[in-house]
Amino acid sequence: MADNYDVIVLGSGPGGYVAAIRCAQLGLKTAIVERENLGGICLNWGCIPTKALLRSAEIFHYMQNAKDYGLMAEKISADLDAVVKRSRGVAKQLNQGVTHLMKKNKITVHMGDGKLIGKGKLSVTRDGKVEELTAKNIIIATGARARDLPQLKADGKRVWTYRHAMTPPEMPKKLLVVGSGAIGIEFASFYNDMGADVTVVEMLDRIVPVEDADVSAFLEKALTKQGMKILTGAKIDKIATGDKGVTATIKDKAGKDVTDEYSHVIVAIGIVPNVENLGLEDVGVEPDQRFHIKTDDFGRTNVDGVWAIGDVTAPPWLAHKASHEGVIVAEAIAGNHPHALDVRNIPGCTYCHPQIASVGLTEAKAKEAGYEVKVGNFPFIGNGKAIALGEAEGFVKTVFDAKTGELLGAHMIGAEVTEMIQGYTVGKTLETTEAELMETVFPHPTISEAMHESVLAAYGRAIHI
Ligand SMILES: Cc1cc2nc3c(=O)[nH]c(=O)nc-3n(C[C@H](O)[C@H](O)[C@H](O)COP(=O)(O)OP(=O)(O)OC[C@H]3O[C@@H](n4cnc5c(N)ncnc54)[C@H](O)[C@@H]3O)c2cc1C
């Protein structure tokens, strides 16, 4: 007889495992199906192991600049294998943490490939053995994978996806990173700090193109100063692996073909949703135009009893978005009345050096949406703590609706901004205005004071510039 549940979650990333825990907390008999590692991409191959790598790179950078702090560090070197080993250890620790959470919440884990085989029915295949499960509700949380370059498939030797870049067979000497979104820029930053000669190629006219244009411009300058080569408005024309590595011909901004050899290439041109072989067509679940699963604001697909969350659905493709959706779906299944997720209030962080963090509309998007805006800008050089830390590179930009004072967006670049953005995110979620932010007392000395000053600057009241 098939095992019967109230809810089966297919995929155990930050969307799936969080949904499963909330379902269990709400008293629903819950199972989770996973074909690879509990914790999904985020804990095993994404957010967390990259941050472990970047932490090593950050410490290496500080060691190399020790004398700026009056300290001596001699004969400094990096052991890439040890850096990677630490990162894998961190991923393993978190994977075990999810295993523990499943046990604690009495969630049954079925390891294997899951597939919908009818209404409320799912098969799980492992090593040729098939088991059948049934449930009133199935949550699809199968995530996404790296998109390949049409001309060149990643082979793990010279051409890497993020998985290869996280467990490199050797240190790249001359690295080409294709794509300057968060993933591409984080790896470019890591390998640049570790000593590789890094070139980033971006098709659009600026790097980190979803961020505010001022942030893109500042980051480009900072990375160039660190020795990186940045090619924007540029396209890979030809690319092929050869004896020495990869030969790429890039059409630059001016339309000129530039051919160069690279030891390795990281392809970071986006993701494709994992929708294949899930039996979606058989049960009639509809995709959107980009082949992600279409849902309403509460994760319902067009098929009764089938829900979807996370990277397999609409953007933004971020772990915290997936987890938040997981909770919404669990509440909806339990018959509660959750709030729909407001994508305007989802922060985004990139952990390059300097870091980037933002929430809400960029200045350009706010204007495009018809707002008359007030914009504040405060540089880190006006912040005492940033100077004391030796991290005076960065700024905080805020965008307000000039009519109502509503905070529309906040954009930061510099040290610790990925920790600070949550202040503005809480504010935005509570629909804060400039008046409330000005009334808020910020602790001294902290870099967060720059957040206050940026708000004051939007209204011509900044103190320290
Ligand atoms: C290098 C990198 C760095 C990143 N850094 C960040 C970051 O700093 N912050 C951030 O917010 N986001 C980051 N992301 C994105 C983040 O990892 C994803 O948004 C997040 O993992 C999506 O969660 P999910 O639950 O939707 O899916 P996933 O985490 O992709 O999990 C899906 C799971 O489903 C399983 N699965 C798929 N199909 C089946 C099947 N048929 N049967 C059984 N199991 C199946 C997969 O094995 C996987 O474990 C990063 C991504 C990458 C690649």
Side-chain angles (χ1 to χ4, degrees):
M1 246 220 0
D3 286 349
N4 187 31
Y5 297 96
D6 294 319
V7 182
I8 299 173
V9 186
L10 182 53
S12 73
Y17 85 76
V18 170
I21 291 174
R22 188 66 194 131
C23 284
Q25 286 174 344
L26 290 164
L28 300 163
K29 187 180 173 198
T30 306
I32 196 159
V33 178
E34 171 57 56
R35 66 180 174 194
E36 201 184 346
N37 305 111
L38 287 178
I41 295 302
C42 173
L43 304 196
N44 297 288
W45 294 104
C47 326
I48 299 294
T50 47
K51 269 76 249 179
L53 294 176
L54 285 156
R55 176 72 170 150
S56 293
E58 187 181 23
I59 291 173
F60 191 40
H61 170 83
Y62 286 134
M63 286 163 74
Q64 286 167 322
N65 293 284
K67 67 174 182 322
D68 294 350
Y69 298 87
L71 306 169
M72 295 308 137
E74 282 161 14
K75 293 191 188 145
I76 301 155
S77 64
D79 176 348
L80 187 65
D81 288 345
V83 167
V84 171
K85 194 172 163 208
R86 174 176 179 274
S87 162
R88 298 320 301 158
V90 169
K92 185 149 190 249
Q93 184 178 338
L94 289 168
N95 162 261
Q96 286 166 346
V98 176
T99 307
H100 163 76
L101 288 173
M102 295 300 100
K103 264 196 205 126
K104 182 183 159 208
N105 287 283
K106 302 190 172 46
I107 296 160
T108 311
V109 177
H110 295 268
M111 292 305 293
D113 248 294
K115 183 175 178 176
L116 294 164
I117 49 169
K119 193 170 164 45
K121 276 195 195 153
L122 200 113
S123 68
V124 182
T125 308
R126 189 173 208 197
D127 301 331
K129 280 196 197 127
V130 184
E131 63 179 322
E132 221 176 280
L133 313 176
T134 60
K136 294 187 197 93
N137 294 281
I138 294 174
I139 304 173
I140 301 169
T142 49
R145 60 187 183 276
R147 185 182 291 280
D148 267 320
L149 266 180
Q151 312 96 310
L152 193 69
K153 235 184 142 31
D155 60 4
K157 291 184 190 127
R158 297 289 181 179
V159 185
W160 298 347
T161 64
Y162 58 80
R163 287 203 187 211
H164 310 119
M166 229 172 285
T167 50
E170 68 255 327
M171 175 71 189
K173 280 198 174 61
K174 191 166 170 187
L175 174 68
L176 177 66
V177 177
V178 186
S180 75
I183 294 175
I185 283 293
E186 285 186 3
F187 279 117
S189 192
F190 169 72
Y191 281 112
N192 191 60
D193 278 349
M194 296 298 286
D197 174 358
V198 177
T199 299
V200 176
V201 58
E202 168 59 55
M203 223 165 69
L204 297 175
D205 63 353
R206 59 193 177 91
I207 56 168
V208 286
V210 301
E211 300 294 343
D212 191 276
D214 288 347
V215 169
S216 298
F218 194 98
L219 182 67
E220 181 170 341
K221 241 191 214 162
L223 296 181
T224 306
K225 204 167 113 194
Q226 290 171 29
M228 235 185 253
K229 199 163 155 201
I230 309 270
L231 303 172
T232 54
K235 226 176 119 184
I236 305 269
D237 237 7
K238 275 186 241 143
I239 189 159
T241 41
D243 293 345
K244 290 187 202 147
V246 178
T247 309
T249 304
I250 298 170
K251 198 174 271 310
D252 71 10
K253 217 183 250 172
K256 208 175 100 202
D257 275 344
V258 184
T259 302
D260 213 341
E261 301 265 341
Y262 300 89
S263 66
H264 299 82
V265 176
I266 296 176
V267 182
I269 56 168
I271 56 161
V272 277
N274 293 325
V275 289
E276 300 84 358
N277 307 318
L278 295 180
L280 296 181
E281 312 77 28
D282 303 338
V283 294
V285 173
E286 274 176 14
D288 65 14
Q289 311 91 306
R290 294 161 91 173
F291 304 106
H292 288 256
I293 298 175
K294 210 157 74 180
T295 67
D296 71 3
D297 287 349
F298 301 95
R300 283 185 194 90
T301 69
N302 60 310
V303 175
D304 200 30
V306 181
W307 310 71
I309 56 173
D311 278 13
V312 77
T313 65
W317 297 305
L318 294 167
H320 40 287
K321 178 256 190 187
S323 299
H324 203 91
E325 287 178 335
V327 172
I328 290 174
V329 165
E331 297 287 348
I333 289 174
N336 297 332
H337 301 285
H339 290 288
L341 178 58
D342 186 344
V343 291
R344 293 170 309 174
N345 295 337
I346 302 176
C349 297
T350 305
Y351 299 75
C352 47
H353 165 223
Q355 296 182 353
I356 298 173
S358 61
V359 63
L361 297 176
T362 62
E363 181 180 354
K365 288 270 179 224
K367 286 179 178 162
E368 242 176 76
Y371 288 103
E372 192 192 318
V373 296
K374 271 196 184 293
V375 174
N377 216 316
F378 189 82
F380 274 26
I381 193 71
N383 177 276
K385 178 73 180 293
I387 295 171
L389 292 181
E391 299 282 0
E393 185 187 40
F395 67 82
V396 179
K397 176 173 177 177
T398 41
V399 182
F400 292 91
D401 179 349
K403 286 205 182 101
T404 63
E406 182 189 352
L407 176 67
L408 299 173
H411 311 276
M412 311 198 246
I413 181 162
E416 309 300 338
V417 297
T418 56
E419 292 295 335
M420 298 195 311
I421 193 65
Q422 195 55 13
Y424 284 135
T425 306
V426 172
K428 258 191 106 323
T429 304
L430 299 175
E431 298 176 353
T432 194
T433 64
E434 93 293 359
E436 289 145 337
L437 286 167
M438 284 185 196
E439 284 297 320
T440 305
V441 179
F442 286 72
H444 178 78
T446 60
I447 305 178
S448 75
E449 288 170 284
M451 295 168 66
H452 195 211
E453 291 269 21
S454 176
V455 178
L456 295 170
Y459 290 83
R461 291 177 46 180
I463 304 291
H464 293 95
I465 39 170

